[in-house]
Short mmCIF file of all heavy atoms in Angstrom, two decimals:
data_model
loop_
_atom_site.label_atom_id
_atom_site.label_comp_id
_atom_site.label_asym_id
_atom_site.label_seq_id
_atom_site.Cartn_x
_atom_site.Cartn_y
_atom_site.Cartn_z
N TRP Z 1 -0.31 5.88 -14.06
CA TRP Z 1 -0.72 5.11 -15.23
C TRP Z 1 0.50 4.76 -16.09
O TRP Z 1 0.62 3.64 -16.60
CB TRP Z 1 -1.77 5.88 -16.02
CG TRP Z 1 -2.52 5.04 -17.01
CD1 TRP Z 1 -2.49 5.16 -18.37
CD2 TRP Z 1 -3.42 3.96 -16.72
NE1 TRP Z 1 -3.31 4.21 -18.94
CE2 TRP Z 1 -3.90 3.47 -17.95
CE3 TRP Z 1 -3.86 3.37 -15.53
CZ2 TRP Z 1 -4.80 2.41 -18.03
CZ3 TRP Z 1 -4.75 2.31 -15.61
CH2 TRP Z 1 -5.22 1.84 -16.85
N ARG Z 2 1.42 5.70 -16.24
CA ARG Z 2 2.65 5.41 -16.99
C ARG Z 2 3.49 4.37 -16.26
O ARG Z 2 4.08 3.49 -16.89
CB ARG Z 2 3.47 6.69 -17.18
CG ARG Z 2 3.10 7.47 -18.43
CD ARG Z 2 4.02 8.66 -18.63
NE ARG Z 2 3.68 9.74 -17.73
CZ ARG Z 2 4.56 10.61 -17.23
NH1 ARG Z 2 5.84 10.50 -17.53
NH2 ARG Z 2 4.18 11.57 -16.44
N ALA Z 3 3.56 4.47 -14.93
CA ALA Z 3 4.33 3.50 -14.15
C ALA Z 3 3.79 2.09 -14.33
O ALA Z 3 4.54 1.12 -14.35
CB ALA Z 3 4.31 3.88 -12.67
N GLY Z 4 2.46 2.00 -14.50
CA GLY Z 4 1.82 0.70 -14.69
C GLY Z 4 1.75 0.27 -16.14
O GLY Z 4 0.94 -0.61 -16.48
N GLY Z 5 2.57 0.87 -16.99
CA GLY Z 5 2.62 0.47 -18.40
C GLY Z 5 1.36 0.79 -19.17
O GLY Z 5 1.03 0.12 -20.15
N ASN Z 6 0.63 1.83 -18.74
CA ASN Z 6 -0.63 2.25 -19.37
C ASN Z 6 -1.69 1.14 -19.34
O ASN Z 6 -2.58 1.09 -20.18
CB ASN Z 6 -0.40 2.71 -20.82
CG ASN Z 6 0.52 3.91 -20.89
OD1 ASN Z 6 0.39 4.85 -20.12
ND2 ASN Z 6 1.48 3.87 -21.79
N GLU Z 7 -1.58 0.25 -18.35
CA GLU Z 7 -2.54 -0.85 -18.22
C GLU Z 7 -3.18 -0.93 -16.85
O GLU Z 7 -4.28 -1.43 -16.69
CB GLU Z 7 -1.84 -2.19 -18.51
CG GLU Z 7 -1.40 -2.35 -19.96
CD GLU Z 7 -0.71 -3.68 -20.20
OE1 GLU Z 7 -0.44 -4.41 -19.21
OE2 GLU Z 7 -0.46 -4.01 -21.37
N LYS Z 8 -2.46 -0.42 -15.84
CA LYS Z 8 -2.97 -0.52 -14.47
C LYS Z 8 -2.30 0.52 -13.61
O LYS Z 8 -1.30 1.13 -14.01
CB LYS Z 8 -2.69 -1.92 -13.89
CG LYS Z 8 -1.21 -2.24 -13.76
CD LYS Z 8 -0.99 -3.63 -13.21
CE LYS Z 8 0.50 -3.99 -13.14
NZ LYS Z 8 1.28 -3.15 -12.23
N ALA Z 9 -2.85 0.73 -12.42
CA ALA Z 9 -2.24 1.61 -11.44
C ALA Z 9 -2.66 1.18 -10.05
O ALA Z 9 -3.75 0.63 -9.86
CB ALA Z 9 -2.64 3.06 -11.68
N VAL Z 10 -1.79 1.40 -9.09
CA VAL Z 10 -2.09 1.12 -7.68
C VAL Z 10 -1.99 2.42 -6.90
O VAL Z 10 -1.01 3.16 -7.04
CB VAL Z 10 -1.10 0.08 -7.09
CG1 VAL Z 10 -1.37 -0.14 -5.61
CG2 VAL Z 10 -1.20 -1.24 -7.84
N VAL Z 11 -3.01 2.71 -6.11
CA VAL Z 11 -3.01 3.90 -5.25
C VAL Z 11 -2.97 3.41 -3.81
O VAL Z 11 -3.89 2.73 -3.34
CB VAL Z 11 -4.27 4.76 -5.48
CG1 VAL Z 11 -4.20 6.03 -4.62
CG2 VAL Z 11 -4.41 5.13 -6.96
N ALA Z 12 -1.90 3.76 -3.12
CA ALA Z 12 -1.74 3.37 -1.72
C ALA Z 12 -2.25 4.49 -0.82
O ALA Z 12 -1.78 5.62 -0.92
CB ALA Z 12 -0.26 3.08 -1.43
N LEU Z 13 -3.22 4.17 0.04
CA LEU Z 13 -3.79 5.16 0.96
C LEU Z 13 -3.79 4.63 2.38
O LEU Z 13 -4.00 3.42 2.59
CB LEU Z 13 -5.22 5.51 0.54
CG LEU Z 13 -5.41 6.20 -0.83
CD1 LEU Z 13 -6.89 6.41 -1.09
CD2 LEU Z 13 -4.66 7.52 -0.88
N PRO Z 14 -3.59 5.50 3.37
CA PRO Z 14 -3.59 5.05 4.76
C PRO Z 14 -5.01 4.74 5.25
O PRO Z 14 -5.96 5.41 4.85
CB PRO Z 14 -3.00 6.24 5.51
CG PRO Z 14 -3.33 7.43 4.66
CD PRO Z 14 -3.33 6.94 3.24
N SER Z 15 -5.11 3.74 6.09
CA SER Z 15 -6.42 3.36 6.64
C SER Z 15 -6.63 3.90 8.06
O SER Z 15 -7.74 3.89 8.57
CB SER Z 15 -6.54 1.83 6.69
OG SER Z 15 -5.56 1.30 7.58
N GLY Z 16 -5.53 4.34 8.69
CA GLY Z 16 -5.65 4.84 10.05
C GLY Z 16 -5.43 3.77 11.12
O GLY Z 16 -5.42 4.07 12.31
N ARG Z 17 -5.25 2.53 10.67
CA ARG Z 17 -4.95 1.46 11.65
C ARG Z 17 -4.04 0.42 11.01
O ARG Z 17 -3.99 0.27 9.80
CB ARG Z 17 -6.24 0.80 12.16
CG ARG Z 17 -7.09 0.17 11.10
CD ARG Z 17 -8.43 -0.27 11.69
NE ARG Z 17 -9.27 -0.92 10.69
CZ ARG Z 17 -9.23 -2.20 10.39
NH1 ARG Z 17 -8.37 -3.00 11.01
NH2 ARG Z 17 -10.02 -2.72 9.47
N GLN Z 18 -3.33 -0.31 11.86
CA GLN Z 18 -2.40 -1.31 11.38
C GLN Z 18 -3.11 -2.44 10.65
O GLN Z 18 -4.14 -2.93 11.11
CB GLN Z 18 -1.58 -1.90 12.54
CG GLN Z 18 -0.44 -1.02 12.99
CD GLN Z 18 0.49 -1.75 13.96
OE1 GLN Z 18 0.19 -2.84 14.43
NE2 GLN Z 18 1.61 -1.14 14.27
N GLN Z 19 -2.57 -2.85 9.51
CA GLN Z 19 -3.14 -3.95 8.73
C GLN Z 19 -2.43 -5.27 9.01
O GLN Z 19 -2.90 -6.33 8.61
CB GLN Z 19 -3.07 -3.62 7.24
CG GLN Z 19 -3.83 -2.37 6.85
CD GLN Z 19 -5.31 -2.46 7.18
OE1 GLN Z 19 -5.95 -3.50 6.98
NE2 GLN Z 19 -5.87 -1.39 7.71
N PHE Z 20 -1.30 -5.19 9.70
CA PHE Z 20 -0.58 -6.40 10.11
C PHE Z 20 0.22 -6.06 11.36
O PHE Z 20 0.45 -4.90 11.67
CB PHE Z 20 0.33 -6.94 9.00
CG PHE Z 20 1.43 -5.98 8.59
CD1 PHE Z 20 2.63 -5.92 9.29
CD2 PHE Z 20 1.27 -5.16 7.48
CE1 PHE Z 20 3.63 -5.05 8.91
CE2 PHE Z 20 2.27 -4.28 7.09
CZ PHE Z 20 3.46 -4.23 7.81
N THR Z 21 0.64 -7.10 12.08
CA THR Z 21 1.44 -6.90 13.28
C THR Z 21 2.91 -6.98 12.92
O THR Z 21 3.37 -8.02 12.43
CB THR Z 21 1.11 -7.99 14.33
OG1 THR Z 21 -0.29 -7.96 14.61
CG2 THR Z 21 1.89 -7.75 15.62
N PRO Z 22 3.65 -5.88 13.13
CA PRO Z 22 5.08 -5.89 12.80
C PRO Z 22 5.83 -6.88 13.70
O PRO Z 22 5.81 -6.76 14.92
CB PRO Z 22 5.52 -4.45 13.09
CG PRO Z 22 4.26 -3.65 13.08
CD PRO Z 22 3.20 -4.57 13.60
N VAL Z 23 6.47 -7.87 13.07
CA VAL Z 23 7.24 -8.87 13.81
C VAL Z 23 8.55 -9.13 13.08
O VAL Z 23 8.71 -8.78 11.90
CB VAL Z 23 6.47 -10.21 13.95
CG1 VAL Z 23 5.26 -10.05 14.86
CG2 VAL Z 23 6.04 -10.74 12.59
N GLY Z 24 9.48 -9.76 13.79
CA GLY Z 24 10.74 -10.14 13.16
C GLY Z 24 11.56 -8.95 12.72
O GLY Z 24 11.56 -7.90 13.35
N LYS Z 25 12.25 -9.09 11.59
CA LYS Z 25 13.15 -8.05 11.10
C LYS Z 25 12.36 -7.01 10.30
O LYS Z 25 12.52 -6.86 9.09
CB LYS Z 25 14.25 -8.66 10.24
CG LYS Z 25 15.22 -9.50 11.04
CD LYS Z 25 16.38 -9.96 10.19
CE LYS Z 25 17.40 -10.71 11.04
NZ LYS Z 25 18.56 -11.14 10.24
N TYR Z 26 11.52 -6.31 11.01
CA TYR Z 26 10.73 -5.24 10.39
C TYR Z 26 10.51 -4.16 11.44
O TYR Z 26 10.00 -4.42 12.53
CB TYR Z 26 9.37 -5.75 9.89
CG TYR Z 26 8.51 -4.65 9.29
CD1 TYR Z 26 8.66 -4.30 7.95
CD2 TYR Z 26 7.62 -3.92 10.07
CE1 TYR Z 26 7.91 -3.27 7.39
CE2 TYR Z 26 6.87 -2.90 9.52
CZ TYR Z 26 7.01 -2.57 8.19
OH TYR Z 26 6.28 -1.54 7.66
N LYS Z 27 10.90 -2.93 11.08
CA LYS Z 27 10.71 -1.80 11.99
C LYS Z 27 9.51 -0.99 11.53
O LYS Z 27 9.48 -0.51 10.40
CB LYS Z 27 11.96 -0.93 12.04
CG LYS Z 27 11.88 0.18 13.09
CD LYS Z 27 13.19 0.93 13.19
CE LYS Z 27 13.11 2.03 14.24
NZ LYS Z 27 14.36 2.81 14.31
N ALA Z 28 8.51 -0.85 12.39
CA ALA Z 28 7.30 -0.11 12.05
C ALA Z 28 7.59 1.37 11.94
O ALA Z 28 8.40 1.92 12.68
CB ALA Z 28 6.23 -0.36 13.11
N ASP Z 29 6.92 2.03 10.97
CA ASP Z 29 7.08 3.48 10.84
C ASP Z 29 5.76 4.23 10.95
O ASP Z 29 5.70 5.44 10.82
CB ASP Z 29 7.76 3.83 9.51
CG ASP Z 29 7.03 3.28 8.29
OD1 ASP Z 29 5.81 3.06 8.38
OD2 ASP Z 29 7.68 3.08 7.25
N GLY Z 30 4.67 3.48 11.17
CA GLY Z 30 3.35 4.11 11.33
C GLY Z 30 2.69 4.49 10.03
O GLY Z 30 1.61 5.07 10.03
N ILE Z 31 3.33 4.17 8.91
CA ILE Z 31 2.76 4.52 7.60
C ILE Z 31 2.51 3.27 6.76
O ILE Z 31 1.37 2.95 6.44
CB ILE Z 31 3.67 5.49 6.85
CG1 ILE Z 31 3.83 6.79 7.64
CG2 ILE Z 31 3.11 5.79 5.46
CD1 ILE Z 31 4.90 7.72 7.12
N LEU Z 32 3.57 2.55 6.42
CA LEU Z 32 3.42 1.38 5.56
C LEU Z 32 2.46 0.36 6.14
O LEU Z 32 1.68 -0.26 5.40
CB LEU Z 32 4.78 0.72 5.31
CG LEU Z 32 5.77 1.45 4.40
CD1 LEU Z 32 6.98 0.57 4.12
CD2 LEU Z 32 5.13 1.89 3.10
N GLU Z 33 2.48 0.19 7.46
CA GLU Z 33 1.63 -0.84 8.09
C GLU Z 33 0.13 -0.53 7.97
O GLU Z 33 -0.69 -1.41 8.16
CB GLU Z 33 1.96 -1.00 9.58
CG GLU Z 33 3.41 -1.20 9.89
CD GLU Z 33 4.14 0.12 10.06
OE1 GLU Z 33 3.73 0.94 10.89
OE2 GLU Z 33 5.14 0.33 9.33
N THR Z 34 -0.20 0.72 7.67
CA THR Z 34 -1.62 1.12 7.64
C THR Z 34 -2.22 1.14 6.24
O THR Z 34 -3.40 1.43 6.08
CB THR Z 34 -1.79 2.54 8.24
OG1 THR Z 34 -1.28 3.50 7.31
CG2 THR Z 34 -1.09 2.68 9.58
N LEU Z 35 -1.42 0.82 5.23
CA LEU Z 35 -1.85 1.06 3.86
C LEU Z 35 -2.89 0.08 3.34
O LEU Z 35 -2.82 -1.12 3.61
CB LEU Z 35 -0.65 1.04 2.92
CG LEU Z 35 0.40 2.14 3.12
CD1 LEU Z 35 1.51 2.01 2.09
CD2 LEU Z 35 -0.23 3.53 3.06
N ILE Z 36 -3.84 0.63 2.58
CA ILE Z 36 -4.74 -0.16 1.75
C ILE Z 36 -4.36 0.14 0.30
O ILE Z 36 -4.16 1.30 -0.07
CB ILE Z 36 -6.22 0.22 1.98
CG1 ILE Z 36 -6.60 0.03 3.46
CG2 ILE Z 36 -7.14 -0.61 1.08
CD1 ILE Z 36 -6.67 -1.39 3.93
N LEU Z 37 -4.23 -0.90 -0.49
CA LEU Z 37 -3.78 -0.76 -1.88
C LEU Z 37 -4.98 -0.89 -2.81
O LEU Z 37 -5.66 -1.92 -2.83
CB LEU Z 37 -2.73 -1.82 -2.19
CG LEU Z 37 -1.61 -1.96 -1.14
CD1 LEU Z 37 -0.67 -3.09 -1.51
CD2 LEU Z 37 -0.86 -0.64 -0.96
N HIS Z 38 -5.23 0.16 -3.57
CA HIS Z 38 -6.39 0.23 -4.46
C HIS Z 38 -5.90 0.10 -5.90
O HIS Z 38 -5.15 0.96 -6.38
CB HIS Z 38 -7.14 1.54 -4.26
CG HIS Z 38 -7.48 1.82 -2.82
ND1 HIS Z 38 -8.61 1.34 -2.21
CD2 HIS Z 38 -6.80 2.52 -1.88
CE1 HIS Z 38 -8.64 1.74 -0.95
NE2 HIS Z 38 -7.55 2.46 -0.72
N SER Z 39 -6.35 -0.93 -6.61
CA SER Z 39 -5.87 -1.19 -7.97
C SER Z 39 -6.94 -0.87 -9.00
O SER Z 39 -8.09 -1.29 -8.86
CB SER Z 39 -5.47 -2.67 -8.11
OG SER Z 39 -4.45 -2.98 -7.17
N ALA Z 40 -6.54 -0.14 -10.03
CA ALA Z 40 -7.44 0.21 -11.14
C ALA Z 40 -6.85 -0.31 -12.44
O ALA Z 40 -5.63 -0.26 -12.64
CB ALA Z 40 -7.63 1.72 -11.22
N THR Z 41 -7.70 -0.82 -13.32
CA THR Z 41 -7.24 -1.29 -14.63
C THR Z 41 -7.84 -0.46 -15.76
O THR Z 41 -7.65 -0.78 -16.93
CB THR Z 41 -7.60 -2.78 -14.83
OG1 THR Z 41 -9.00 -2.95 -14.60
CG2 THR Z 41 -6.81 -3.67 -13.88
N LYS Z 42 -8.55 0.61 -15.39
CA LYS Z 42 -9.05 1.57 -16.38
C LYS Z 42 -8.63 2.97 -15.94
O LYS Z 42 -8.79 3.34 -14.78
CB LYS Z 42 -10.58 1.50 -16.49
CG LYS Z 42 -11.09 0.22 -17.15
CD LYS Z 42 -12.59 0.27 -17.30
CE LYS Z 42 -13.12 -1.00 -17.96
NZ LYS Z 42 -14.60 -0.98 -18.05
#
């Protein structure tokens, strides 16, 4: 909440499956590619 300026916050959680196909200059690590980003404003 402090990081979001006391106005918002994002919680990144793994989904267990890839959300995009790693291509080009991107090396997959099995973590970032699986994330779902949950945003709260309260």
Side-chain angles (χ1 to χ4, degrees):
W1 196 246
R2 272 185 283 149
N6 298 316
E7 293 180 351
K8 63 181 177 63
V10 176
V11 183
L13 295 178
S15 64
R17 59 189 181 86
Q18 281 191 350
Q19 300 301 318
F20 62 84
T21 303
V23 292
K25 292 186 175 181
Y26 178 86
K27 186 175 181 182
D29 56 25
I31 299 169
L32 288 187
E33 309 87 56
T34 72
L35 296 182
I36 302 290
L37 312 177
H38 308 274
S39 301
T41 53
K42 290 184 180 177

